[in-house]
Amino acid sequence: MPVTAPPSTVTPPEAGAGPTFSPLYRQIKVLMLRSLQQTEWRPGESIPSEVELAARFKVSQGTVRKAIDELAAENLLVRRQGKGTFVATHAQEHVQFRFLRLMPDSGEPGGMARRLIDCKRQRAPADVARALNLAPNDPVIRVRRVLSFRASPVVFDDIWLPAALFKGLTAQRLAEHRGPMYGLFESEFGVHMIRAEEKIRAVAADAAGARLLALAPGTPLLSVERRSMTYGDVPVELRRGLYNTASHHYRNDLS
Amino acid sequence: MPVTAPPSTVTPPEAGAGPTFSPLYRQIKVLMLRSLQQTEWRPGESIPSEVELAARFKVSQGTVRKAIDELAAENLLVRRQGKGTFVATHAQEHVQFRFLRLMPDSGEPGGMARRLIDCKRQRAPADVARALNLAPNDPVIRVRRVLSFRASPVVFDDIWLPAALFKGLTAQRLAEHRGPMYGLFESEFGVHMIRAEEKIRAVAADAAGARLLALAPGTPLLSVERRSMTYGDVPVELRRGLYNTASHHYRNDLS
DNA sequence: GAGTGGTCTAGACCACTGA
DNA sequence: CAGTGGTCTAGACCACTCG
């Protein structure tokens, strides 16, 4: 849909800075992002076919294709030939948690058991508030848990969530839920994590970490601070993980 | 170029397993990969224009475009509107080393100073040989060095390279060279790193690591084991790095 | 202005899925 | 079989770079 006018004049040159031109397919992409954000299309469901979208936006199929291409490259959509295009979801990733890059040194990944330590409402510490774009002392929910692989604890996570977005999140809700936590966030709270940044460090285990991971205090651990974003790059989770890398490693691919 | 026949019969269905169909643009991609691998097109140089390639391969411009799209998505090629398409290079990445994900906690990245510790030829230890697909005891070159940020040492690297590929690599060559080491590998040895896998762990500094990084032994350090590949996914470098993450962190983006 | 990559279209046909 | 995404083409035009 030539949203306002023919392509070449869609975005008139701006004084100062910023992109001076936005192609049609990128405007379609913005419209589709809106449909995703407003949950017109929900995680796991299929979106309209390419021809339907082309008709809706009054654009050729090739143009919506290019918009979908980009959204698929960003892992917001998933194409399945012959079936349709689907909204990405964290819900049914049987194998492994989508954002968890920890791999056993040998053997298959997956098979992590969760143990919930606690889940309580508190006021956001300054650093958490800053990371989540909250005011200091805004209410947050802190979830603490341990992941175990073959009965030995490997990951100790502290998770902070803005209480305003996760009303009604309780230890019981978490304990009852099967599947990835991000799947619960999608279905129960309408919060869809689409991107995250991680900062990784090596630290020495403190008393609490050592106890929960069954290690000697001072053992080197991987500290993984993750900030997860929804649509519009709005941060909605801060997670501090301690990983025991004695028989696991964090895997990353560069190109 | 319908390499053997019309598109639909290009790859006849195979008994057993494997992809049963390879679209034309992917065959073009393979041909272009060959031109890259055989250094018909060299790092930093431009490749022929899309219309030229379309003519060469007897294919429409849209089809070579799709092949280039994929190669660009894999960071093998770089498109520059109005100028042409260029072979990616590690040579002139002024800012930062392309594969180095270490960032200062505050301030701008880059500005790392190198200090070469030594560079010697030796026989490949078993684990190194395995990682590089060499026979045990095949000759390798081991480079040891330290990277410093604002005069304090931050990274201690041990780098193993197959001696057969890097004949004539000496401490002097390394010391004289300006710019990223991978740039030297490209220009002097024709080895172009296109991809790498990293395994990250937390470890305690041993005596050597502690000395070179000016830390107390036992300090937690990030251990980063990198295996770098050239064309055809052939491993050509094993690198073991120890990172002091007191005021730096390893950064990763998930999606 | 000539040459490059980038966008958009319209139409034909192919591969895959599921009823 | 109809409907989906995937491929390929040919042509027109736009944005950018540089001489």
Side-chain angles (χ1 to χ4, degrees), chain B residues 1-10 22-25 27-28 31 54-60 63:
Chain B
M1 175 212 289
V3 178
T4 58
S8 59
T9 62
V10 163
S22 170
L24 194 44
Y25 74 83
Q27 303 180 43
I28 303 301
L31 296 178
R56 177 199 299 196
F57 296 132
K58 298 213 171 63
V59 147
S60 85
T63 298

Side-chain angles (χ1 to χ4, degrees), chain B residues 235-249:
Chain B
V236 286
E237 179 198 50
L238 179 68
R239 182 181 288 220
R240 292 209 175 110
L242 292 177
Y243 298 0
N244 176 2
T245 56
S247 53
H248 288 69
H249 60 271

Side-chain angles (χ1 to χ4, degrees), chain B residues 59 63 97-98 151 182 217 229 251 253:
Chain B
V59 147
T63 298
F97 307 100
R98 179 167 140 208
Y182 287 164
M229 270 68 74
R251 153 127 188 179
D253 291 312

Side-chain angles (χ1 to χ4, degrees), chain B residues 223-235:
Chain B
S223 155
V224 179
E225 179 174 297
R226 180 192 300 172
R227 212 162 65 110
S228 307
M229 270 68 74
T230 6
Y231 297 107
D233 258 350
V234 177

Side-chain angles (χ1 to χ4, degrees), chain B residues 42 123 154 224 240:
Chain B
R42 308 186 117 84
R123 305 211 158 270
V154 173
V224 179
R240 292 209 175 110

